[in-house]
Amino acid sequence: EFLQSGMPPVQAASAAKAQVEGEIKANNKSFDEAKAARSYGENLLQMANTARAGLGDAGQTGSDVASGYEKLISTLSPILPGTQDEAKKQAAGDSLLNSIGPDIIKMARPIGGGATSDFEARAYLGAGPTSSKTPEANDVLIRKMEELGKLNIDYSDFLEAYREANAGSTVGASKKWSEYKQQYPLFVGEGENMQINSQRP
């Protein structure tokens, strides 16, 4: 293009090199962002798997009746045959379920510029599943983790597709994602009823 505009060959080569270097530098951020979004999504899905495995073994969590039952099983386990394995299983399930707590707090603060804002992620994930919540409440929270994980993988796919469709350039990608979010909100509802919008294309 520079040669066709009449620029001398040496000057054209230098100008072309400078332009390409600038584009590569601008695109590096989006490569990193796509990688970070995919990693964030995959980590959330892995944590959801961990929580679901813990929930399966923990049994009845959350309620006073459930707590009393687990304490009774733990107390009787040295005496009654058959209860020792059940007590160990419940304790291991509780431990596994509670183990993701610190990571959930970190995951509620995604790297800026991802699929969602920090505020959206914090409002959606909340404190995460724990042994102090009922199985039903934990199941809802685990599904939220899975949905947010998939949303971030969608965002990573979007960045990669945008780059491929625009000859390696990601200029304007964040604007397009913002337009998409405005036209098709990522979330519906508020507070505990907040859900990922399953109707968005």
Side-chain angles (χ1 to χ4, degrees):
E1 288 175 0
F2 290 137
L3 286 171
Q4 288 171 0
S5 69
M7 193 179 287
V10 174
Q11 188 179 350
S14 178
K17 182 181 178 183
Q19 182 172 316
V20 170
E21 284 176 349
E23 288 177 357
I24 289 172
K25 187 175 180 181
N27 286 339
N28 278 344
K29 181 177 182 289
S30 76
F31 279 103
D32 292 342
E33 193 175 327
K35 183 179 177 183
R38 189 170 299 280
S39 176
Y40 179 86
E42 288 171 350
N43 286 342
L44 259 182
L45 290 175
Q46 183 59 48
M47 287 167 58
N49 288 339
T50 299
R52 203 168 280 292
L55 186 60
D57 286 342
Q60 287 298 316
T61 56
S63 69
D64 291 338
V65 174
S67 284
Y69 173 73
E70 288 195 10
K71 285 176 185 173
L72 179 63
I73 290 292
S74 296
T75 304
L76 294 177
S77 63
I79 308 165
L80 295 179
T83 57
Q84 193 169 11
D85 289 342
E86 181 64 20
K88 284 181 181 177
K89 183 180 175 184
Q90 288 176 350
D94 285 348
S95 179
L96 200 57
L97 193 57
N98 293 329
S99 69
I100 65 168
D103 290 326
I104 276 287
I105 294 170
K106 294 176 189 173
M107 297 300 278
R109 300 188 196 97
I111 296 171
T116 64
S117 69
D118 291 0
F119 174 78
E120 288 170 329
R122 279 196 300 270
Y124 190 61
L125 283 180
T130 66
S131 62
S132 64
K133 296 182 176 78
T134 64
E136 294 76 18
N138 281 326
D139 185 62
V140 168
L141 291 167
I142 292 169
R143 276 191 282 113
K144 285 186 173 186
M145 291 168 65
E146 291 167 341
E147 289 169 351
L148 190 59
K150 290 173 185 173
L151 177 61
N152 276 273
I153 291 173
D154 282 350
Y155 178 66
S156 178
D157 290 343
F158 157 73
L159 286 177
E160 290 170 1
Y162 187 96
R163 191 165 52 231
E164 287 177 13
N166 290 277
S169 174
T170 56
V171 174
S174 59
K175 182 183 177 186
K176 284 294 177 191
W177 184 256
S178 293
E179 288 173 2
Y180 170 70
K181 285 173 68 174
Q182 286 178 359
Q183 189 170 359
Y184 306 104
L186 301 182
F187 301 98
V188 290
E190 295 180 359
E192 292 182 1
N193 296 320
M194 191 175 180
Q195 298 293 329
I196 293 266
N197 180 10
S198 61
Q199 301 304 309
R200 63 186 175 85

